[in-house]
Amino acid sequence: MNCRGRDQLNINNKQIGKLNSIYHQFAMKYSLSDSEFQILYMLQFFGDGCLLHEIVEFTEIPKQTIHSALKKMEKEKWLYLEDVNPKRKRIFLTNQGKDVALNTVQKVIDIESKIFENYDEEKINIYLEFMDELTKKLKLELKQVKEVEEWQFN
């Protein structure tokens, strides 16, 4: 890899790390695990009634981790699950859960929306296309590596 590519990769990796840290620190400030934050975020952003498998697919958090977070959140009376059929469940926020989401993840959604609104649409689309391409290529290439052949990529 040439120096320019290496420098750009380093900057990209630092930015991804910083972004992850920002979300993690925000969640911690409100005593939320990263999984709880992601679940609340999805239910607030997409609306009540998300299917469990949609949350797993969207967040790419392991199913068991999501299940553990949901159990804790149910115990806290933030949400409840409804059977769609024996293999599918929908997740709904309780009134208490809606208050929690409004006072936590909605703040992040509002800030993100404001930031995106202030950028040129073409610039955002270039960024989103790049990230999509990077993700797809990285998954494809990593599947070729013997040590990670058993990993499950969505």
Side-chain angles (χ1 to χ4, degrees), residues 4-35:
R4 185 180 70 97
R6 190 172 205 67
D7 290 345
Q8 290 170 329
L9 179 60
N10 184 41
I11 291 167
N12 180 66
N13 290 339
K14 276 185 181 178
Q15 291 306 112
I16 291 171
K18 286 179 183 179
L19 195 57
N20 288 337
S21 177
I22 289 167
Y23 287 110
H24 175 74
Q25 288 174 31
F26 185 86
M28 295 296 291
K29 177 181 177 185
Y30 289 95
S31 301
L32 298 171
S33 70
D34 292 334
S35 302

Side-chain angles (χ1 to χ4, degrees), residues 32-152:
L32 298 171
S33 70
D34 292 334
S35 302
E36 292 167 337
F37 176 87
Q38 289 290 328
I39 292 166
L40 285 172
Y41 187 103
M42 278 202 65
L43 292 170
Q44 188 70 11
F45 190 85
F46 293 111
D48 261 350
C50 287
L51 292 168
L52 177 57
H53 79 87
E54 292 173 330
I55 291 177
V56 171
E57 288 174 13
F58 185 85
T59 63
E60 298 202 17
I61 297 171
K63 192 174 183 179
Q64 186 54 46
T65 304
I66 294 293
H67 277 286
S68 296
L70 288 173
K71 282 181 185 179
K72 182 178 177 225
M73 295 167 82
E74 266 188 303
K75 189 176 178 180
E76 296 286 334
K77 302 197 183 318
W78 292 356
L79 53 78
Y80 62 95
L81 281 68
E82 246 180 43
D83 289 335
V84 174
N85 63 43
K87 292 189 175 189
R88 289 187 179 239
K89 295 181 185 296
R90 286 199 183 279
I91 304 165
F92 295 91
L93 290 171
T94 62
N95 286 336
Q96 185 178 346
K98 288 176 183 177
D99 287 342
V100 171
L102 190 62
N103 291 306
T104 58
V105 296
Q106 186 60 53
K107 292 177 181 181
V108 174
I109 292 168
D110 291 344
I111 292 167
E112 290 171 330
S113 297
K114 184 178 175 184
I115 292 168
F116 268 69
E117 287 169 6
N118 288 319
Y119 276 96
D120 176 61
E121 188 173 346
E122 185 179 345
K123 192 174 186 178
I124 292 170
N125 288 335
I126 290 168
Y127 166 75
L128 294 175
E129 286 172 19
F130 170 75
M131 291 306 292
D132 183 56
E133 190 175 318
L134 177 67
T135 303
K136 286 176 182 172
K137 285 182 177 182
L138 187 58
K139 284 181 182 182
L140 183 66
E141 292 294 324
L142 285 176
K143 284 182 180 181
Q144 308 298 320
V145 178
K146 184 176 171 77
E147 291 82 19
V148 294
E149 283 178 354
E150 296 173 11
W151 286 5
Q152 290 294 322

